[in-house]
Amino acid sequence: MNSSSPSGLPAQPLKLGTRRSPLAMAQAYETRARLCAAHGWPESMVELVPVTASGDKILDRPLADIGGKALWTKELDAWLFTGEIDFAVHSMKDVETVRPEEFVIAAVLPRADVRDVLVGAASIQAIPPGARVGTSAPRRAALMLHARPDLTVVGFRGNVATRLAKLEAGEADVTLLAAAGLQRLGETGVGQPLSESEWMPAPAQGAIGIECLEGRTDVRAWLAAIDDKPSHDAIRAERALLLALGGNCHSPIAVLTTHNDASLTMRAAIFSPDGVERVEASETFGPADFEAPARLAHHLLEQAPDTIRVHFHGAG
């Protein structure tokens, strides 16, 4: 435990846990740079501690079939519990909705581009008839099949470089990647960004969260300096929507949250996995209205046919 006052320099370097993948490391570098800049620390005051997550080791099966999003977090969770690291950086899209109560998301960095990027064609309409779409994400598969039921979805996992290599090798004709990830890796010339209003992102897409033990008041105070409140409000609301829907890694969910002065507007859609059925609704609410996402989830499930509801466990 670091006993120094949060207002000064830590008594010893803080240990920031991160996955070892190139994108995760880029997110860790950004977190360290922001934290040190906010407090006037030298970068040596934040030591990066990388781990190869289970989700990075198993690439031949869909994540939902081998343990879900916990495969991205369990190694870092163990290190937080034992004190090997002081805090951990996560892509919030990959963090399971229900977390151990001992943990807290102490900061969310300013949210980056929420869009998906289509690689291999200029637009959804330009994809050749009957083409193969490489993705293991239920949301992307459902969105694509809803727009283009003539296409075939094939499983596609791995980091950005792996998926681009698979596409180049002809394992699929097109694929989809997160714009934020590409930008953080400096791959800004890859693919065609899709309008977020027509092709809604995943919950928490483009957001970096920093997590620590709830009882580490010193770390929480330091991290408060880099917390972006509008981004944190939106991520909290989107995760509350997920919780109320009772979705899992097999459940196709898309959501777009926008800020309007002192309120949030959340537009969400849920699908049947084959993309045939789609239900959409929206709600505008204040950031402190923590029940609003649950109301929206209830409304969505009330409208949804059984072909959608069977994939969710919320109370419709």
Side-chain angles (χ1 to χ4, degrees):
M1 284 279 186
N2 203 307
S3 58
S4 173
S5 166
S7 61
L9 199 67
Q12 58 194 17
L14 298 172
K15 295 183 183 295
L16 173 58
T18 175
R19 286 165 49 203
R20 198 182 293 273
S21 73
L23 179 55
M25 292 300 295
Q27 294 176 160
Y29 290 133
E30 179 179 346
T31 300
R32 178 171 67 180
R34 286 181 179 274
L35 187 61
C36 291
H39 293 289
W41 298 343
E43 286 200 343
S44 59
M45 289 312 302
V46 178
E47 177 187 344
L48 302 189
V49 184
V51 64
T52 301
S54 299
D56 290 316
K57 298 173 185 174
I58 307 168
L59 300 177
D60 60 343
R61 284 164 284 168
L63 199 65
D65 295 345
I66 54 174
K69 292 183 177 181
L71 293 178
W72 299 128
T73 58
K74 68 177 186 177
E75 287 86 3
L76 293 173
D77 288 356
W79 283 357
L80 280 172
F81 274 127
T82 60
E84 290 182 62
I85 58 175
D86 297 292
F87 50 119
V89 59
H90 298 296
S91 173
M92 289 305 299
K93 183 175 70 169
D94 295 332
V95 177
E96 64 269 33
T97 310
V98 179
R99 300 287 290 138
E101 61 182 13
E102 296 90 347
F103 296 157
V104 62
I105 301 296
V108 174
L109 302 188
R111 195 173 190 176
D113 195 331
V114 301
R115 295 176 296 175
D116 274 346
V117 170
L118 177 66
V119 185
S123 67
I124 301 298
Q125 295 73 27
I127 299 172
R132 296 161 301 155
V133 181
T135 183
S136 293
R139 171 191 62 95
R140 287 172 173 157
L143 274 165
M144 187 63 79
L145 292 172
H146 186 78
R148 290 288 306 273
D150 61 298
L151 302 179
T152 300
V153 173
V154 296
F156 227 53
R157 284 201 53 229
N159 62 32
V160 169
T162 299
R163 281 186 272 176
L164 290 175
K166 287 182 177 182
L167 188 68
E168 184 69 23
E171 294 185 27
D173 301 301
V174 297
T175 192
L176 296 140
L177 298 167
L182 290 169
Q183 290 165 11
R184 287 172 180 140
L185 290 170
E187 300 279 358
T188 53
V190 173
Q192 179 63 42
L194 301 174
S195 166
E196 67 269 32
S197 62
E198 297 176 13
W199 182 277
M200 286 195 290
Q205 185 154 320
I208 297 172
I210 303 101
E211 191 171 51
C212 66
L213 289 174
E214 198 275 338
R216 288 295 304 270
T217 54
D218 55 344
V219 175
R220 293 176 67 177
W222 279 314
L223 291 174
I226 59 171
D227 184 44
D228 183 70
K229 187 178 185 302
S231 298
H232 205 149
D233 288 342
I235 299 312
R236 184 185 296 112
E238 291 179 11
R239 287 173 61 79
L241 175 78
L242 281 177
L243 182 65
L245 283 170
N248 55 41
C249 287
H250 293 283
S251 310
I253 307 167
V255 58
L256 179 64
T257 304
T258 53
H259 295 267
N260 318 285
D261 297 324
S263 65
L264 302 174
T265 295
M266 178 180 285
R267 178 181 160 220
I270 54 178
F271 301 78
S272 57
D274 61 8
V276 172
E277 300 286 352
R278 170 182 174 138
V279 172
E280 182 180 319
S282 65
E283 181 150 347
T284 297
F285 52 92
D289 185 353
F290 301 122
E291 300 303 316
R295 291 196 301 270
L296 180 57
H298 182 85
H299 184 51
L300 285 165
L301 292 172
E302 272 191 327
Q303 296 181 75
D306 288 344
T307 50
I308 292 180
R309 286 172 61 102
V310 70
H311 299 285
F312 297 87
H313 301 97

